[in-house]
Amino acid sequence: MSGPTGARTGRSAQGRRLRRMRADGWQPTYGTEIEGEPQAANACLDCGWGRLIFAQTFEDPGRLIEEIRDEAIDRRDIAVYVRDPHVLLALAPQELFLDPSHTYRLDLATYRTGRRPRRGFQVRRLASAQDAEAVNRIYAARNMVPVPPEFFWSRHDNRSIVYLVAEDAVNGEIIGTVTGADHFRAFRDRERGASLWCLAVDPQASHPGIGEALVRQLADHMKTRGAAYVDLSVMHDNTHAIALYEKLGFRRIPFFSVKRKNPINERLFTGPERDEGLNPYARIIVDEARRRGIHVHITDAEGGFFRLTYGGRSIHCRESLSELTSAIAMSICDDKAVTRRVVSAAGVTVPEQIEAGDPDEIEAFLEKHGKLVVKPARGEQGRGVAVGLDALEDVMKAIETARSISDRVVIESFVEGEDLRLIVIDYRVVAAAIRRPARIVGDGRSTVRTLIEHQSRRRAAATGGESRIPLDGETERAVRAAGFGLDDVPPPELEITVRKAANLHTGGTIHDVTDEVHPELVAAAVKAARAIGIPVTGIDLLVRSPREPYYAFVEANERPGLANHEPQPTAERFVDLLFPLSMPLAARLAAGSDARR
């Protein structure tokens, strides 16, 4: 009696375990023995962006190759723990390549939880569809493969996959994410391992230590589950990430990963291009052109110059400035006083402006408006711009600084509001984003100067060196206005704006609002672009809110940085403008239909 009863009980428990394993993402192979819960054969784990294919569970290299070949379109599968990569590649040299990444391992038996308190953010499990959308936004900003939001949400309580997010304590925004895979729960890994994937921090985040906190939280979670170690794969030249992992105790181990040759992985197996000196603003366009089969000739990488050729048409560009922009349009944008007059005549609202000259006139202008903006009549990237000046002495100093960049200086009435950049291509708004000035967050230990230096390094790393916070007079003035000196230690979690202008090149951040911008703001940007006669431009407005119609025109940029607006299709629309015949037929027909309307 007890024997049959016990057998039934055992089979029932075994069935529950099998159902749980399948729910966790384990893919059983016919013939696999379940008795005693052995390690599964031919195991894969779907992560949304692609699958982890655990090569150590495959006995037959041919079967492993077939599994890699089953990669879905627009996904990126990774065969990990490949024992003999040379054998695998020899069997399918045209289809597979050795991933140029290092494998690192954190031994959880010796790992100790970090005691450094987190300031200004918390780390928690992914808990909503909104979290999933925010994670995809960060993936897009980091050029990572997106995940269908429904996949995130359907798997957020999965036992094999763990999704963690970092949440800003003040505004609730998701500012970082990491994914963990529990190998034991995925395929009954006999080594009880785990792995870390998709560590990503919002490039606009100002809080220090987000990446470290996410890694530590995942390590703590896996250790609590009984995992023996956490492995990760990191590109061999990602020095910043490697430095973080080694600081936390990760050590390199001799394991390899193999991937399938596909468009997502193309840069990893085609070798380095001869355009390594291109900045992000040129590279995003070059990459889009190459995807369409457009020939690219780099004429000066350091300056961002390249020539695109398709069929019988050839166009020379400098980043988003092309031969389609006339010299007249460029000269209008180059002189801020002229820009203001041209767009004002077209009915665009502009702030009051004078040229710096007579000190009495300047003093009267200051008394009339209370606060002023000083900027070079000619210049770019925010150099020489001073914002929110309310003392005549500061105005005169700012004029002298601006004159070092341009012999003519303009003074404008200061308009309160947020800085909105709208990208107009072919007289259509393609992207819109709020630009915010550089900020730091106090930790109770570091001086303002140190916090600025740290934040500047983070901004430089996030933008390929394009964004840094200068320690100049404008920064000192902004810090002083906040009640601090550069060598003061601000209290924990206090946010300090250290620049008044929201220019990205001086450490500002950018936040996409394309889907919510008010139609009146869109109309104003298009009207300004048409008045100048410029096919590609960045129109800057000061607004109360991107959702309200009130604005004041600031300036037009003839060479806007398209890379700052990912994932909006700025590069795609730019190449559409240059080479309409490179567009897919359906897109060309849709564009023609829109133009007729």
Side-chain angles (χ1 to χ4, degrees):
M1 184 78 173
S2 61
T5 303
R8 285 195 298 271
T9 302
R11 286 195 297 271
S12 176
Q14 176 178 302
R16 286 195 299 271
R17 284 193 294 271
L18 178 57
R19 287 193 296 274
R20 188 168 64 245
M21 289 165 67
R22 283 173 169 155
D24 288 347
W26 171 64
Q27 299 179 8
T29 299
Y30 291 111
T32 299
E33 293 293 332
I34 302 300
E35 189 68 38
E37 300 180 357
Q39 176 173 285
N42 304 342
C44 304
L45 180 64
D46 191 353
C47 298
W49 41 261
R51 297 173 302 158
L52 293 176
I53 302 173
F54 295 96
Q56 74 272 37
T57 67
F58 287 75
E59 292 296 330
D60 179 10
R63 178 70 183 85
L64 176 56
I65 290 172
E66 288 302 318
E67 195 67 61
I68 298 173
R69 282 176 177 151
D70 284 342
E71 179 182 68
I73 297 174
D74 293 331
R75 299 295 94 182
R76 185 191 63 176
D77 291 351
I78 306 175
V80 295
Y81 304 109
V82 178
R83 285 189 290 265
D84 298 313
H86 54 295
V87 173
L88 205 62
L89 297 182
L91 293 174
Q94 302 303 317
E95 298 177 81
L96 308 181
F97 71 97
L98 186 65
D99 183 37
S101 296
H102 296 322
T103 302
Y104 277 76
R105 173 168 293 179
L106 179 66
D107 184 352
L108 294 179
T110 57
Y111 167 73
R112 296 293 178 266
T113 301
R115 301 185 183 279
R116 181 178 176 180
R118 294 166 192 160
R119 303 291 188 185
F121 67 94
Q122 61 174 336
V123 176
R124 59 170 175 79
R125 296 283 290 268
L126 183 143
S128 69
Q130 289 74 25
D131 287 351
E133 292 172 0
V135 168
N136 262 341
R137 174 182 57 79
I138 295 174
Y139 284 176
R142 292 297 191 179
N143 295 312
M144 298 165 65
V145 179
V147 174
E150 61 273 12
F151 180 93
F152 270 128
W153 185 233
S154 66
R155 304 295 182 96
H156 78 284
D157 58 352
N158 187 292
R159 297 182 181 184
S160 297
I161 307 176
V162 179
Y163 299 111
L164 300 180
V165 295
E167 179 185 64
D168 189 291
V170 176
N171 56 30
E173 290 184 359
I174 301 303
I175 53 178
T177 180
V178 70
T179 301
D182 186 328
H183 300 177
F184 180 75
R185 292 176 184 266
F187 62 94
R188 294 305 186 245
D189 178 24
R190 62 173 62 96
E191 294 185 358
R192 299 194 72 94
S195 53
L196 178 154
W197 303 92
C198 299
L199 176 65
V201 175
D202 189 331
Q204 315 304 332
S206 58
H207 300 290
I210 298 171
E212 178 178 341
L214 286 163
V215 174
R216 287 192 179 278
Q217 186 94 348
L218 184 64
D220 291 340
H221 178 81
M222 292 301 182
K223 186 172 183 176
T224 301
R225 280 189 169 188
Y229 56 79
V230 174
D231 287 350
L232 59 84
S233 180
V234 57
M235 284 296 295
H236 69 97
D237 56 356
N238 192 346
T239 55
H240 292 287
I242 289 173
L244 169 63
Y245 298 139
E246 290 181 342
K247 168 189 168 185
L248 297 179
F250 284 84
R251 293 294 176 263
R252 188 175 164 188
I253 55 175
F255 285 107
F256 303 96
S257 297
V258 169
K259 296 177 181 175
R260 185 170 178 265
K261 293 179 179 179
N262 64 27
I264 296 173
N265 294 324
E266 187 173 2
R267 280 190 172 274
L268 302 180
F269 62 82
T270 58
E273 298 284 353
R274 287 178 292 179
D275 55 5
E276 290 184 344
L278 288 179
N279 63 33
Y281 309 117
R283 184 175 296 282
I284 188 176
I285 298 168
V286 166
D287 287 348
E288 175 61 24
R290 285 189 173 126
R291 275 193 288 270
R292 299 193 191 191
I294 297 171
H295 176 72
V296 177
H297 172 61
I298 308 301
T299 53
D300 183 71
E302 185 177 352
F305 289 90
F306 51 90
R307 179 174 291 279
L308 305 180
T309 303
Y310 187 76
R313 184 179 175 91
S314 182
I315 300 178
H316 208 181
C317 305
R318 184 185 186 189
E319 300 167 8
S320 62
L321 177 65
S322 77
E323 293 173 329
L324 301 189
T325 296
S326 71
I328 294 297
M330 187 170 173
S331 64
I332 291 173
C333 291
D334 182 55
D335 191 318
K336 293 177 175 59
V338 175
T339 311
R340 177 186 174 279
R341 291 198 298 269
V342 168
V343 301
S344 178
V348 176
T349 304
V350 298
E352 191 173 348
Q353 183 186 91
I354 63 171
E355 278 203 33
D358 182 4
D360 292 336
E361 184 183 7
I362 295 171
E363 185 174 9
F365 197 66
L366 175 61
E367 289 178 1
K368 178 180 179 181
H369 296 288
K371 289 184 179 181
L372 302 179
V373 177
V374 174
K375 52 189 174 182
R378 290 189 169 120
E380 60 180 3
Q381 299 183 350
R383 289 192 292 265
V385 177
V387 179
L389 305 172
D390 57 7
L392 184 61
E393 180 183 2
D394 289 337
V395 173
M396 302 309 291
K397 286 181 180 178
I399 291 172
E400 290 305 310
T401 300
R403 280 208 174 106
S404 67
I405 296 168
S406 171
D407 57 351
R408 289 175 48 243
V409 176
V410 295
I411 304 172
E412 291 181 350
S413 58
F414 174 74
V415 179
E416 292 281 359
E418 293 191 289
D419 190 312
L420 177 68
R421 163 65 63 91
L422 299 106
I423 300 296
V424 183
I425 299 177
D426 199 16
Y427 306 110
R428 294 181 176 89
V429 170
V430 177
I434 290 292
R435 303 191 301 173
R436 293 182 180 139
R439 298 168 295 165
I440 59 171
V441 179
D443 60 8
R445 302 184 308 274
S446 306
T447 65
V448 170
R449 186 189 307 274
T450 299
L451 291 169
I452 290 174
E453 290 171 348
H454 288 173
Q455 177 65 1
S456 186
R457 284 197 292 271
R458 285 193 293 272
R459 294 296 299 135
T463 60
E466 293 295 313
S467 180
R468 289 184 173 88
I469 306 173
L471 277 167
D472 58 11
E474 177 67 6
T475 297
E476 287 190 48
R477 190 178 65 79
V479 170
R480 191 167 58 248
F484 295 93
L486 290 176
D487 296 317
D488 293 337
V489 177
E493 300 185 38
L494 178 68
E495 187 174 272
I496 301 173
T497 299
V498 298
R499 301 286 294 186
K500 293 296 184 182
N503 194 282
L504 297 180
H505 290 274
T506 55
T509 57
I510 189 164
H511 309 266
D512 184 75
V513 294
T514 304
D515 294 336
E516 56 188 279
V517 68
H518 195 280
E520 287 293 326
L521 306 182
V522 171
V526 172
K527 189 184 295 183
R530 287 194 179 279
I532 298 168
I534 188 167
V536 178
T537 183
I539 299 295
D540 293 341
L541 307 177
L542 281 169
V543 300
R544 293 183 189 176
S545 162
R547 294 175 292 277
E548 297 180 14
Y550 311 104
Y551 73 91
F553 175 86
V554 177
E555 65 181 26
N557 190 316
E558 75 278 4
R559 185 163 48 99
L562 303 186
N564 296 325
H565 296 270
E566 291 186 291
Q568 300 301 334
T570 52
E572 290 93 320
R573 299 295 83 81
F574 178 74
V575 177
D576 290 348
L577 172 69
L578 269 54
F579 301 99
L581 293 181
S582 72
M583 300 166 61
L585 178 60
R588 292 206 306 272
L589 293 175
S593 176
D594 289 343
R596 287 191 293 273
R597 283 200 291 270

